[in-house]
Amino acid sequence: MYKVFSSLVVLFLLIVSTGTVNAQTSLEQRILFQPDSVSVRDSQHGQLEMMAAYMKSHPDANVIVAGFVSPLTTPSRRDYVAQERANQVARMLSEQYGIDSARLIPIGVGIGKRYVEQEFNEVVSFFRQ
């Protein structure tokens, strides 16, 4: 248990300090959001379905659900929006697709630096733990 927790702490610190995660741990699915929004748009449900299918076909996988924002998000709401996006996506995967919530680790990261186009950083990304 301690090893898992310490690994999570290191990974979380890496995400926070760089706004990204090692490419080997990154999964391809992403849920895009409008600036300042925590609502998953209907157009993103296909990505949720693909993530659920991945998790069902990899029952040993635990996944970090990382919420990011861009500077386009209102500064006073950035932390809330990043965390709530991660929470919302994890909740949907659990409640609508039957993924065990213990396998999902929602983390609000803050400002993402993964994409040059700032609006693409309004996203939830998935990272295999």
Side-chain angles (χ1 to χ4, degrees):
M1 177 67 175
Y2 174 74
K3 183 177 180 184
V4 170
F5 180 73
S6 65
S7 296
L8 259 179
V9 170
V10 169
L11 183 57
F12 177 72
L13 292 173
L14 175 64
I15 293 170
V16 170
S17 66
T18 65
T20 188
V21 174
N22 187 330
Q24 288 96 343
T25 63
S26 180
L27 301 172
E28 291 302 314
Q29 288 78 18
R30 286 177 279 293
I31 310 298
L32 300 175
F33 289 83
Q34 295 295 321
D36 252 353
S37 175
V38 297
S39 298
V40 176
R41 295 177 289 167
D42 289 342
S43 64
Q44 299 301 299
H45 284 250
Q47 293 294 323
L48 278 171
E49 289 174 12
M50 286 191 283
M51 191 64 222
Y54 168 83
M55 293 198 72
K56 288 177 180 178
S57 67
H58 296 84
D60 61 327
N62 291 326
V63 172
I64 295 171
V65 181
F68 294 92
V69 297
S70 78
L72 302 174
T73 299
T74 305
S76 62
R77 289 178 37 88
R78 287 179 184 156
D79 290 340
Y80 165 78
V81 170
Q83 184 63 53
E84 191 54 32
R85 285 175 176 173
N87 293 342
Q88 177 72 6
V89 168
R91 193 169 28 252
M92 291 176 78
L93 284 168
S94 179
E95 293 174 2
Q96 295 180 15
Y97 297 97
I99 303 301
D100 182 355
S101 62
R103 297 176 57 207
L104 302 164
I105 305 156
I107 298 174
V109 178
I111 294 181
K113 300 173 186 170
R114 189 170 190 177
Y115 302 102
V116 174
E117 299 84 1
Q118 288 302 316
E119 63 273 10
F120 292 153
N121 291 308
E122 300 283 351
V123 66
V124 162
S125 294
F126 301 95
F127 302 93
R128 184 169 177 161
Q129 181 189 13

